[in-house]
Amino acid sequence: MLKDTNFKIGLDVGSTTIKCVVFKEQNIIFKSYERHKAMIKEKAIELLSYINKNILKNAPAYISVTGSSGLGLSQDANIKFVQEVYATKIAARKYYPNVDVIIELGGEDAKILFLSGAPEVRMNGSCAGGTGAFIDQMAVLLGIGLEEFDELSLNYDKLYTIASRCGVFAKSDIQPLINQCARKNDLTASIFQAVVNQTISGLAQGREIKGRVMFLGGPLTFFKGLRERFMASLKLSEKDAIFPENSQYFVALGAAEYAFETEIPTSLSSIIKSLKTQKKSDGKLTLPPLFNSESEYEEFLSRQNKIIVNFADISDYSGNAYLGIDAGSTTIKIVLISEKNEILYSKYLSNGGEVLNIVIESLKEIYEKISSNGNKIKIAGSAVTGYGEDLIKSAFSLDYGIVETVAHFTSARYFLPNVDFIIDIGGQDIKCFKLKMGAIDSIMLNEACSSGCGSFLETFATALGYTAPEFAKKGLFAKSPVDLGSRCTVFMNSSVKQAQKEGATIEDISAGLSISIVKNAIYKVIRAQSPDDLGTNVVVQGGTFLNDAVLRAFEREIGVNVIRTPISGLMGAYGCALYAKDNISKPSSTITSEVLEQFSHSVKSTTCKNCPNNCRLTINNFGNKNIFISGNKCNKYNNVSNSIKYNMIEYTYNKLVNLPSNKGSRGKIGIPMVLNMFENLPFWVAFFESLNFEVVISPRSSRKLYINGQHTIPSDTVCYPAKLVHGHINALMNKNVDLIFYPCMTYNFDEHFGDNNYNCPVVAYYPEIIKSNMTFNKNQTFIMDYIGIDKPKYFEKFAFKIFSKYFDVEKKEIKFATNKAYSAYKKYKQDLKNYTSEAINYANQNNKQIIVLACRPYHIDPEINHGIDRLLSSYDTVVLTSDAISYQANYKVKTNVLNQWTYHARLYIAAKEITKHKNMNLIQLVSFGCGVDAITTDEVRDILEQNNKLYTQIKIDEINNLGATKIRIRSLLAAIEERNNY
Amino acid sequence: MSVNYDKSGRVIFTRQMKKTYKLLIPNMLPIHFELIKNILQQRGYNCDLLQSSNENIVKMGLQNVHNDTCYPCLLVVGQFIDALKSGKYDPNKTALFITQTGGGCRASNYIHLLRKALKKAGYPHVPVVSVNLAGLEKNPGFKMSLSLIKKFISALIYGDILMLLENQTKPYEITKGTAEKTTNQWVKKLSYQYKNSNSFGKRIMTQNFKNIVDDYAKIQINKTPKIKVGIVGEIYVKYSPLANNNLSAFLQSENAEVFIPGIMDFIIFKVDNRIVDIDIYGGSKIKRLICCKFKQYLESIQNIFIDAIKKSNKFSPPKPFETIKKNVKPYIGYGAKMGEGWLLTAEMIELINDGVENIVCTQPFGCLPNHIVGKGMIRQITNKNPMANIVCVDYDPGATKVNQENRIKLMLATAKERLDKNNNIH
């Protein structure tokens, strides 16, 4: 045993950094904070050697290691590991014994420790939203440094709603805002606010954060703006918010203390020795290399180089030219083509959040080239596609705005006329579509998840200190690529962490990431079974495929040689130019060089007061005449007339919220407008009004209402409609009601469409969550008994049993109310049936398309569907719901799966009904996290495709932006049109 | 051999197949299912309990079922398809066994999703045999007779007692491996007894339980204080080492004693649900009576089991079903029956009441019932039992072991701190 020592060392190995403190007695005599760039072992050896030589001078020390990446090191070096949250707790107990709550945000981890009361720790599990890495990513997206980011945030005007659940979702909220030129001050502050919301809802999960709160970790140390958001949101005074000294070393302090309390001193030289001798563990999973030899790579390249794109010198050309712009999520692509489709000019640029300036510069460059060659070229047509479509179209008066899918199809068809499958992997989306009979047959987009995309690779590359192409190239000849699976970025991060722990090289990780991008695309987005699923003539496009490693991995995975054009990254823009050329029939309106010279631009934001949606608007003013307004959920500002009057979602919603009317002598009973209570509302309103209650329903859902209940949500992965329940109950608590009625219902009405009449588990038992996680006022009674409404006879019997517990009521009163309830429900359904028939007649007579939204009754809540119905109306379609369609049917659909849920059985009926009408199509709305829809979606798709109908699915969550939704809807409408023309 | 279909297009498992086909059984509970396999073998079925645990299972699962489907389904399907593709079995001479429970959870869809996946993967002709107590999906080649049902139930209860005693002995045994050896010996012994086809009678069970308890009691142990950790959760993830990354072994390697509530309560729970359903929504009185009788039978053998352990004084016995049910009443309604329903909450409370305050609550990522009965109840449980130290762990194809173990270690660190504090006091 070694002699006693005065030294204690804490080593904190996080996901990106390694932190170390050395104590001599009670004083810190050394500390260091460095990025380890995934070379954990090497860094540790270097650091410990330095300490041993210069500070300890070979004396032994108490040492322990902590941190999310510290476990591997501790095993290799044979040092005691202490869990990082536990280490934090030890340090807090020693240095700040009065703290009640600790919030710590790290690179990829977020934690909350409740110290007073029942001690408890929470850490992010499967979701890394709202961490330092997320803020880094957002700064890259905005093209600004972290310091600037922070400064900007202190000066904000308004906060945008940014989804707080996951970094990926937040990103898809922010991207359109960037493209619409929202102010960076507002964006940065909103991003910080999203981090705060994520911490509160995702981590605290129902437990209130109060008392003295200590903030730890890099982001909270460095960002004043983030601190400010936290303090404001938690309503903390200066004295209750503690930002300790040595914040970034805090965990390391705890580790040192832990070592001192529990360990015996060891000599660092023995630790260093065992680290050096440690071999790679062979437990990790590896894949075959992408290329076995240089010659294999050569052959691959020569095959790819066969596709030829013609270029022409802009200075030699005279005649008409056509402009195509693809304003993608992270990049802008601009192409100018000749009458012979030769490329005269092209640009591929990162947009850095400055969409307009980049286009202006490119256009100026084009016009300069034209004028320096004697103005022999005329821009005779122009089109734009991508996220920035609307903005750019109106800023530069372009002729066409087309949906991405059409742009990509147009260019792919040009190079390969018989193309039957296109996959485009861009910055943050994957778009794939199958083509049948010259029309887009089915579209697959990545749902709110961008793990398989270019920006994902880029983020990883940047974190490890490389550019994306450099990084991808490293993987080409990797000997044993790491198998990272095919899942979300967050999971991928920890897979990479694990691989690093097991000693994988950068090359192996790079190749592994390229392969996982491809796997994600194939298995998550396309969900292909075999190469035949993709077709035989596959064209790949998008910047990500410019990386040979990704392309190779793709060919490998699907087992088919695919075509990548030399302008893979420009295909969208090229498609736009081709589209403009083929379609233009009048003089082009494209901005002229004179007007461009005087181009000016200003942005302001405001709230629209025209409807209860209260959208946050961003108004872009382009000097002379053009104004572009965005952020609106309707098409009010987009020059589209709203002539369609049949919108079932709106009709049903309005009908329901206007139901209650009576004043009642028995008092007020509150009903939350949530989940199963939507469609059953007519039933309950009639029931309680017959018992002389005044029925008060909870107010219209909104973001604010949601946030008010957010801190009581126990499961962060449950669907958004369920999460909203907390806000509604909270709102009812603040209304002067005596009773709040929200029953548990295992079963719903039996409509005989399926084998049983269940509610899904979440709908059935959510009142239990409310009872368990929310505190009611003493003068309010929460009625959440289990009740069945399927059989009137039993309902009457049990209703008496239940309600007589809460108020004096006679059997005959219940009997009367029961009759009223059932007939009100019947009447309600009849009314919707009539509306449906009217709507169908109207559509048939006026030659309109009908879109049936296949959804659940609660999806009519505008906060849940985000106004998709209005969007559809604005595209001149009649909107119906699967619920209302199913009311008309009286048969069963044979399914391959167990058909046992009342609401879900209607989806199959609706799908079947749609196949009977030529002008009817279906869009299925799926709430993120809906486990039952994992089963229904494939079935609905089968029913439709067997009958030669298109299937479209839209996943919805807290995300407020309709960008991806618009792509789907427009692609669907374009496909319907092409089919009709065929 | 030609394939026969029923009216709905389902592939039938024929009498002939019974003689020539290999039956594959997924492995949820290693001890219990080994006994069941042996029972089936004695009945003339040629079967294999799938022991595979390779990466290809997840891959096959991801390829053949919707990726948002729950992890257990993905694994069960993946494991079957992996087996069919492995070359070990002739796909034209292999049938699959799967249990079917029914109920409002999407888990009742496993069998359908399995068939769908088989079709996709190119094995539409492989018969899938449903094992259930409700008389769903009949097959001439496989009939659930009353005696077979009784045998299965006895296998489950033997499995429970062996699992419980092994878990309580293993952490303290002086010679490593003794407890496991005892378990294996008993699995053999019981399987042999089944041949005489009366080892499931109450009298023999009483005798067997006593002998089993005696055998474990004989194992030399050294009772040092250890962290006690309970495992609850969605049934497949809770029990199956394939799904929970060998959770129980991991906890034991971290020097903990593991408590896993047995499967018998789940069986009684499922029967009890039918009674409760009639009580709160109405229904047939006769049906209710039959269910009550069946429940009584199950409870009576559970009691024999509990008595045997009580008598030994060396092990902590489980609580009778009715006690567990009574204790959960303040927390959640008996109507919450989908998935593991109120039983999951009840198991957490029972563990805490028995002094096992450290709990891992396992669930597949996005498990619907667990939003309610697992994660949703934790606030209330910790409010009423401030010493409860519960960690929820999600399992899915993308979750890494590092991440899961990190969270579990955190729970263990708190547990360890409390254990040390208690030891200092005493």
Side-chain angles (χ1 to χ4, degrees), chain A residues 700-715:
Chain A
R700 188 186 172 93
S701 298
S702 67
R703 189 76 197 167
K704 201 172 159 210
L705 174 129
Y706 166 63
I707 285 169
N708 286 340
Q710 196 185 24
H711 65 281
T712 63
I713 300 169
S715 182

Side-chain angles (χ1 to χ4, degrees), chain A residues 67-68 71 75 81 83-86 89-90 93 118-126 204-207 285 483 486-487 490-492 494-495 497-498 501 519 523-524 527-529 557 714-719 744-747 758-766 768-769 771-773 784 786-789 791 794-795 797-798 801 894 896-901 928-935 937-939 942 953 955, chain B residues 7-9 55 59 62-70 74 100 102-109 112-113 115-117 119-121 277-284 329-339 341 365-373 375-390 394 396-403 405-411 413-414 416-418 420-421:
Chain A
S68 54
L71 191 60
Q75 285 161 354
F81 176 77
Q83 213 285 337
E84 67 264 24
V85 180
Y86 187 64
K89 205 168 141 185
I90 293 175
R93 201 168 52 201
E120 211 176 338
V121 274
R122 303 277 175 83
M123 52 195 285
N124 60 333
S126 38
Q205 287 177 13
R207 186 158 172 179
L285 295 155
D483 191 351
S486 59
R487 274 254 142 159
V490 185
F491 299 125
M492 212 72 93
S494 45
S495 296
K497 226 184 271 175
Q498 177 140 352
K501 188 188 114 187
K519 281 188 176 166
Y523 298 120
K524 269 200 72 89
R527 301 212 308 107
Q529 299 302 312
E557 202 65 35
S715 182
D716 61 329
T717 47
V718 78
C719 62
C744 286
M745 287 168 60
T746 300
Y747 303 96
Y758 282 115
N759 277 314
C760 94
V762 171
V763 169
Y765 306 133
Y766 215 78
E768 292 278 10
I769 291 274
K771 181 193 141 206
S772 227
N773 293 278
M784 46 83 63
Y786 287 72
I787 197 156
I789 50 177
K791 298 183 186 73
Y794 288 123
F795 173 79
K797 177 179 154 199
F798 288 102
K801 222 165 141 184
K894 188 183 168 299
N896 294 315
V897 293
L898 189 58
N899 183 0
Q900 60 165 359
W901 295 278
F928 202 87
C930 178
V932 181
D933 274 342
I935 294 165
T937 46
D938 282 354
E939 275 306 302
D942 277 358
Q953 184 198 119
K955 275 204 175 176
Chain B
K7 267 187 242 151
S8 69
E55 272 301 303
K59 192 176 167 190
L62 284 171
Q63 276 184 22
N64 293 293
V65 287
H66 192 297
N67 285 199
D68 291 338
T69 309
C70 32
L74 202 126
Q100 205 181 354
C105 175
R106 57 180 166 154
S108 16
N109 246 309
H112 303 280
L113 295 176
R115 287 209 180 95
K116 242 178 132 162
K119 219 184 255 176
K120 271 185 180 175
D277 245 26
I278 294 170
D279 290 345
I280 59 182
Y281 306 120
S284 148
K329 200 169 181 196
Y331 295 84
I332 189 167
Y334 296 145
K337 64 164 191 171
M338 295 181 197
F365 183 82
C367 173
L368 297 177
N370 263 25
H371 285 307
I372 316 284
V373 299
K375 288 178 175 175
M377 289 299 131
I378 288 177
R379 164 96 283 110
Q380 208 193 152
I381 293 174
T382 47
N383 278 348
K384 291 178 183 163
N385 308 277
M387 290 304 281
N389 178 26
I390 306 172
D394 285 354
D396 84 345
T400 59
K401 221 175 153 186
V402 165
N403 216 328
E405 289 183 356
N406 208 3
R407 293 166 65 76
I408 297 168
K409 282 196 164 179
L410 172 61
M411 180 275 292
T414 311
K416 176 92 181 3
E417 187 184 58
R418 289 178 182 172
D420 292 346
K421 212 186 260 171

Side-chain angles (χ1 to χ4, degrees), chain A residues 390 628-630 632 634-641 875 966:
Chain A
D390 296 336
F628 174 66
I629 299 173
S630 61
N632 48 315
C634 62
N635 257 350
K636 186 173 169 58
Y637 305 107
N638 306 33
N639 300 326
V640 179
S641 63
Y875 290 119
K966 275 187 187 163

